[in-house]
Amino acid sequence: METHKKINIAIDGYSSCGKSTIAKGLAKVLGYTYIDSGAMYRAITLYFIEQGIDLADKARMQEALQHIQIRMENRPELLQSLVYLNGRDVSARIRDLDIANVVSEVAAIREVRTFAVALQQAMGRQGGVVMDGRDVGTVIFPDAPLKIFMTASEEVRVQRRYLEMSAARPDITMEEVRDNIRHRDHIDTTREQDPLTKAADALVLDNSHMTREQQLELVLQWYRKVVGQ
Ligand code: DC
């Protein structure tokens, strides 16, 4: 097989669409690095909660951003990437509902996005990154040769997220999960700063009725086409 330069792959879409599953699978097969850009917004949200930062207090928030160090560690054998906030592993903590409930508000703040996007772009400088999020193809890596925009029906997404969350929180209801997903979709798509939109050159993957294997096979076909294999 001819060797070629590693490209960056951008995967965007609504929450609970299965972006990370396909992104991790792709990274594993290609020997690329998987980066979850949403985890950075979650880590920043955790810091703000712990420090009692009022989101309306822009000066204090900007000051706080200077004290945040985020490191991502790719652990393909665990099928996840670990997230460190100022040296502490917060990978599990940032998945809690208290974070999910306010992360969209935090991710809508211009100063926060400027901070996160700079970090994300630095991580992709060498190529060979599969990154998932909301603005990867439009803002972070606008030149990525392969961009994928994922969608799935709301019902399918609610089911998936419910199954995922009820393992840790057996008391959670389907309605809570649906409300959270709707709330986040609304903010993610209507915010002023880098809203979730499909890049003009992104390929659409609606996985409402596809298995993981079918999705991966399709995306690998797209990849081979892009790199000319
Ligand atoms: O993918 P996720 O659910 O972990 O993302 C958490 C929040 O961060 C969600 O509200 C969307 C936002 N986000 C974003 O604005 N830009 C990204 N590149 C990734 C996530």
Side-chain angles (χ1 to χ4, degrees):
M1 198 189 285
E2 210 183 302
T3 53
H4 56 268
K5 192 177 171 293
K6 289 186 167 184
I7 62 168
N8 284 329
I9 300 175
I11 303 185
D12 290 300
Y14 297 94
S15 43
S16 304
C17 255
K19 295 186 298 290
S20 72
T21 304
I22 194 77
K24 284 176 200 165
L26 201 53
K28 192 162 177 227
V29 173
L30 300 177
Y32 277 25
T33 302
Y34 164 64
I35 298 176
D36 171 0
S37 65
M40 296 186 205
Y41 292 103
R42 288 170 179 267
I44 295 167
T45 302
L46 175 60
Y47 186 83
F48 287 172
I49 289 176
E50 288 181 342
Q51 300 293 318
I53 309 276
D54 174 1
L55 298 182
D57 186 346
K58 285 277 147 64
R60 181 140 185 254
M61 196 195 58
Q62 238 172 332
E63 223 282 304
L65 283 174
Q66 293 175 25
H67 300 285
I68 297 181
Q69 236 198 9
I70 296 173
R71 190 165 62 80
M72 312 283 290
E73 193 181 310
N74 209 34
R75 298 284 289 272
E77 76 283 8
L78 297 179
L79 272 183
Q80 67 163 332
S81 48
L82 301 179
V83 187
Y84 293 87
L85 170 63
N86 294 333
R88 173 167 57 116
D89 181 356
V90 296
S91 319
R93 174 66 183 90
I94 58 170
R95 300 293 149 197
D96 289 344
L97 201 60
D98 64 331
I99 303 288
N101 282 337
V102 286
V103 64
S104 289
E105 269 94 339
V106 172
I109 300 169
R110 185 161 49 88
E111 293 80 359
V112 170
R113 299 202 71 80
T114 305
F115 173 82
V117 168
L119 258 176
Q120 290 151 354
Q121 288 178 331
M123 289 176 177
R125 210 143 279 154
Q126 310 294 324
V129 161
V130 183
M131 190 179 287
D132 69 357
R134 305 295 188 290
D135 62 339
V136 186
T138 50
V139 176
I140 305 171
F141 302 144
D143 298 328
L146 178 56
K147 299 177 185 176
I148 298 163
F149 189 84
M150 290 185 61
T151 64
S153 72
E154 186 186 90
E155 232 12 73
V156 167
R157 291 162 56 213
V158 170
Q159 288 279 353
R160 283 179 187 155
R161 177 64 72 145
Y162 176 74
L163 280 177
E164 203 178 279
M165 296 206 78
S166 56
R169 276 212 30 207
D171 58 320
I172 201 163
T173 65
M174 206 76 113
E175 282 58 47
E176 267 181 281
V177 175
R178 183 175 290 110
D179 284 352
N180 177 251
I181 284 185
R182 282 191 183 160
H183 176 65
R184 289 207 286 160
D185 281 357
H186 178 72
I187 298 182
D188 293 345
T189 52
T190 58
R191 70 178 176 225
E192 214 168 281
Q193 200 71 29
D194 311 334
L196 169 66
T197 46
K198 184 183 108 44
D201 52 349
L203 300 165
V204 175
L205 178 63
D206 181 338
N207 67 7
S208 304
H209 307 290
M210 287 173 86
T211 64
R212 289 176 187 190
E213 291 71 28
Q214 288 169 333
Q215 294 172 55
L216 192 57
E217 189 40 51
L218 179 61
V219 171
L220 280 170
Q221 277 176 27
W222 290 343
Y223 171 81
R224 288 186 208 108
K225 221 177 204 168
V226 163
V227 299
Q229 273 184 5

